[in-house]
Amino acid sequence: MEKASSEGACAGAACTCHHKETPRAAQFQADLQKRLNRAIGQLNGVKDMLDDNRYCGDVLTQLAAAESAIHNVSALLLQDHLETCVVEQVQRGNTEVIDEAMQLIKRFAR
């Protein structure tokens, strides 16, 4: 699990900010950024399609592609969370992190 941050950089009033104790590898971070940028590009394309009054089926196809891209980022982050944050906390004796991991799996796994 991540340690609490003293910075108030979160968006939204209900957000509890944390930072990873173990930094993500630079290549993994770059891959996540690339995937997110692709999804953002797809969503911007969807906005343009709506503005251009494009056929609903075409818009829905692009939305599905963006959703898939975001889901893939979520899956990668979930795996990284299990392999780093959860393992580190369990090794320290904090087995409550397993409950959090189960909730995340239920939320993001399809």
Side-chain angles (χ1 to χ4, degrees):
M1 186 123 126
E2 300 85 11
K3 61 183 172 184
S5 168
S6 60
E7 299 172 20
C10 284
C15 180
T16 303
C17 295
H18 296 92
H19 289 276
K20 280 180 64 66
E21 291 180 20
T22 302
R24 292 180 188 93
Q27 183 60 39
F28 182 61
Q29 184 75 13
D31 183 47
L32 293 175
Q33 293 292 337
K34 180 180 76 175
R35 290 170 181 267
L36 285 174
N37 286 335
R38 185 177 308 128
I40 290 167
Q42 289 169 322
L43 289 172
N44 283 329
V46 168
K47 286 175 56 179
D48 292 342
M49 291 174 80
L50 291 172
D51 290 343
D52 194 32
N53 201 36
R54 297 282 294 274
Y55 181 67
C56 297
D58 294 341
V59 175
L60 289 166
T61 298
Q62 287 303 310
L63 280 171
E67 184 177 12
S68 177
I70 292 168
H71 178 74
N72 289 335
V73 171
S74 296
L76 289 170
L77 279 171
L78 179 59
Q79 180 174 349
D80 182 64
H81 180 61
L82 293 171
E83 292 173 349
T84 59
C85 303
V86 173
V87 168
E88 291 165 0
Q89 289 298 311
V90 168
Q91 287 174 341
R92 291 184 185 137
N94 177 9
T95 57
E96 292 176 10
V97 72
I98 295 170
D99 293 332
E100 177 209 36
M102 289 303 299
Q103 290 302 313
L104 290 170
I105 290 167
K106 288 176 188 176
R107 184 177 301 158
F108 292 107
R110 306 186 211 172

